[in-house]
Amino acid sequence: MSFFILSDVNKVALKLFGRRKLLSYAQESLIQTGTSFDELISGTNSIDLAIRLNISSYMLPENNYCDFLRNWYMFSVPIMTKNENRGCISILSRENCINQEIALIVGLLSYKISNEYKKRKKINSTNLCDVTLTDSQIRILKVLARGCTDKCAAMELGISLGTVRYHKTNIFRKLNVESCVQAIMKVLKYGIISLDDMEL
């Protein structure tokens, strides 16, 4: 039986994933959210090595120089984005060595987390100073922000439903978003529209 630990670049456990019974046992071993795996605090361990050296790291229980890790097999993979370490994903097992298949899964999880981080960073880093929305697009966003449907917005603004949808497509493209909610949140965040614009 195994469980996963997601750690930040400071080698602190952010989240533990696994069966409740095993997580309870881990907690009894002092492995929990907030536990530091820094070598100066916890001794040599797989999480510290993976983050410090930017390489995958496997440790047998007898190689852990920390009392609370001496019963655990550990395999850790750093989460990298553009040569910058963001933390690591680790698997700990009490009973069994970690085989190649499990190690591969941990590596894939690291890759998936890294890609998700890059995607979210790209979406959040769209510089709205460079984005120019037309007056028509802003008017449509204000109406949609009040909860109107496309059809309702068309009627309220005196334009066709096709025109509303055309402007929405361009708004989504310019803001690098996929939904009205994302678009509205982004324009609110950057002050293109205000909460007052959303009042009925």
Side-chain angles (χ1 to χ4, degrees), residues 171-193:
I171 291 167
F172 291 1
R173 181 183 48 77
K174 286 180 178 182
L175 297 177
N176 194 23
V177 297
E178 297 176 1
S179 71
C180 270
V181 172
Q182 289 176 340
I184 292 164
M185 289 178 65
K186 212 166 219 187
V187 294
L188 278 169
K189 180 179 178 182
Y190 291 99
I192 293 173
I193 67 171

Side-chain angles (χ1 to χ4, degrees), residues 68 174 194:
F68 71 83
K174 286 180 178 182
S194 69

Side-chain angles (χ1 to χ4, degrees), residues 14 16 20 44 59 61-62 69-70 82-83 92-93 98 104-105 110 123 125 137 141:
L14 298 175
L16 279 65
R20 194 176 308 203
T44 303
M59 293 196 79
E62 59 268 18
L69 294 173
R70 287 225 171 104
K82 292 187 180 177
N83 297 325
L92 280 75
S93 175
I98 296 166
L104 179 62
I105 290 169
S110 171
I123 288 169
S125 68
Q137 291 168 341
L141 272 173

Side-chain angles (χ1 to χ4, degrees), residues 7-199:
S7 304
D8 67 10
V9 73
N10 297 316
K11 306 166 192 168
V12 174
L14 298 175
K15 183 107 173 133
L16 279 65
F17 305 89
R19 292 196 172 135
R20 194 176 308 203
K21 185 176 180 181
L22 189 58
L23 293 178
S24 294
Y25 183 76
Q27 195 167 13
E28 289 171 14
S29 299
L30 303 177
I31 302 171
Q32 57 195 340
T33 301
T35 299
S36 174
F37 290 92
D38 188 288
E39 184 176 30
L40 296 175
I41 296 169
S42 301
T44 303
N45 63 79
S46 177
I47 293 172
D48 178 80
L49 290 172
I51 292 173
R52 190 162 33 95
L53 302 176
N54 294 330
I55 59 168
S56 298
S57 172
Y58 179 63
M59 293 196 79
L60 301 172
E62 59 268 18
N63 294 340
N64 286 310
Y65 292 96
C66 175
D67 289 337
F68 71 83
L69 294 173
R70 287 225 171 104
N71 296 324
W72 299 93
Y73 294 89
M74 296 178 70
F75 180 73
S76 301
V77 179
I79 300 168
M80 304 293 292
T81 57
K82 292 187 180 177
N83 297 325
E84 189 173 347
N85 195 318
R86 299 290 177 182
C88 79
I89 184 82
S90 307
I91 188 164
L92 280 75
S93 175
R94 186 157 191 264
E95 300 164 0
N96 303 321
C97 290
I98 296 166
N99 63 36
Q100 287 181 330
E101 290 83 9
I102 298 296
L104 179 62
I105 290 169
V106 176
L108 290 172
L109 281 172
S110 171
Y111 178 77
K112 177 77 173 157
I113 292 168
S114 174
N115 280 345
E116 190 63 30
Y117 178 85
K118 289 176 199 171
K119 254 196 281 186
R120 288 177 186 237
K121 188 159 175 94
K122 182 180 177 186
I123 288 169
N124 291 334
S125 68
T126 299
N127 186 352
L128 287 181
C129 296
D130 298 338
V131 173
T132 305
L133 296 177
T134 66
D135 290 340
S136 298
Q137 291 168 341
I138 292 171
R139 276 195 303 277
I140 289 170
L141 272 173
K142 286 178 180 180
V143 173
L144 294 173
R146 294 196 321 257
C148 290
T149 62
D150 292 357
K151 188 175 181 179
C152 174
M155 288 183 357
E156 186 172 321
L157 296 170
I159 57 178
S160 73
L161 181 59
T163 301
V164 171
R165 290 183 176 155
Y166 170 79
H167 283 302
K168 274 179 57 179
T169 300
N170 287 325
I171 291 167
F172 291 1
R173 181 183 48 77
K174 286 180 178 182
L175 297 177
N176 194 23
V177 297
E178 297 176 1
S179 71
C180 270
V181 172
Q182 289 176 340
I184 292 164
M185 289 178 65
K186 212 166 219 187
V187 294
L188 278 169
K189 180 179 178 182
Y190 291 99
I192 293 173
I193 67 171
S194 69
L195 290 175
D196 294 336
D197 295 321
M198 296 175 66
E199 291 179 6

